[in-house]
Amino acid sequence: MTQGIRAQQREQTRQALVRESRRLFSTVGYGSVGLSEIVHAAGVTKGALYHHFSSKADLFRAVLEQVQQEVAERIAETADAREDTWEQLVSGCRAFLTVSTDPTIQRIMLVDGPAVLGWSEWRAMNETTSGRHLAQVLGDLIDEGVIAAQRVEPLTHLLSGAMNEAALWLATSTDPRNPDDTQDALVAILESLRVT
């Protein structure tokens, strides 16, 4: 019984650290948040933080994993609501642009993610979440003959990079037409891939 209570308390501490770190990182950015702020906000000691995470970067990694998983789930939910594979691709890509322009997601996932963890680690993490979904649907469309036969990996990286760049650009955009115009441009790029 005592072991179960302790395990539950450890998990609650970990969740509090991730939750409060996420709030702080998304508000002011990774570089502006100190460990003392995090432990104070979570109501724990630095020792408790180091019990769960080896460093601030390790804690950030856990936050980023959570954010990427949530984004991937929202994209998959939107795409899976469609029966047609092509519509899954289009609606999933559109959903990515919509979700990733949320400032709290964008700062963690697109700005601080590659800066804190390095491009290679950030990219590998992305490939296990929304990147995996994008590659899967592109592969299905190639198999169906909707997109010309080609290697999936380069196409996935090109589309992912274009969407990440668009999301970052939209975050600083002040023209109210830009979100709709960007969505339209994205659909036009996707349509150019279609052979049937």
Side-chain angles (χ1 to χ4, degrees):
M1 184 79 145
T2 305
Q3 291 281 17
I5 291 171
R6 286 189 182 147
Q8 185 179 19
Q9 289 172 334
R10 282 192 299 272
E11 183 56 27
Q12 287 172 344
T13 298
R14 186 183 190 287
Q15 287 176 9
L17 286 163
V18 171
R19 181 184 60 247
E20 293 304 321
S21 296
R22 180 175 177 169
R23 182 183 61 78
L24 291 166
F25 293 153
S26 68
T27 305
V28 297
Y30 175 86
S32 298
V33 178
L35 288 178
S36 56
E37 287 177 82
I38 293 169
V39 296
H40 178 74
V44 301
T45 64
K46 279 191 180 177
L49 183 145
Y50 284 119
H51 176 77
H52 293 279
F53 303 99
S54 62
S55 63
K56 182 176 147 184
D58 190 35
L59 176 56
F60 178 81
R61 185 178 297 104
V63 170
L64 178 59
E65 285 172 354
Q66 183 183 73
V67 169
Q68 286 184 325
Q69 187 61 43
E70 288 173 11
V71 168
E73 287 169 5
R74 288 169 66 183
I75 292 167
E77 182 180 302
T78 300
D80 291 346
R82 306 294 184 144
E83 295 279 331
D84 179 72
T85 311
W86 178 258
E87 289 301 318
Q88 290 175 349
L89 172 67
V90 174
S91 64
C93 288
R94 291 175 65 101
F96 173 81
L97 272 187
T98 300
V99 171
S100 64
T101 54
D102 176 332
T104 62
I105 289 173
Q106 191 174 64
R107 182 185 292 259
I108 292 170
M109 191 172 80
L110 299 175
V111 176
D112 285 344
V116 173
L117 300 180
W119 188 87
S120 294
E121 184 175 352
W122 172 82
R123 186 76 201 137
M125 289 174 70
N126 183 62
E127 286 176 359
T128 64
T129 54
S130 56
R132 182 175 50 85
H133 295 295
L134 180 59
Q136 178 64 51
V137 74
L138 289 170
D140 291 346
L141 288 165
I142 290 167
D143 291 345
E144 293 171 14
V146 176
I147 294 176
Q150 60 189 290
R151 289 184 52 225
V152 172
E153 189 176 16
L155 182 58
T156 302
H157 283 274
L158 283 167
L159 288 176
S160 179
M163 289 186 288
N164 287 338
E165 176 62 27
L168 288 168
W169 175 68
L170 286 171
T172 60
S173 169
T174 57
D175 189 331
R177 299 171 301 176
N178 285 342
D180 290 338
D181 289 349
T182 302
Q183 291 277 359
D184 292 345
L186 173 62
V187 172
I189 289 170
L190 296 175
E191 285 291 341
S192 72
L193 298 172
R194 196 147 86 156
V195 294
T196 61

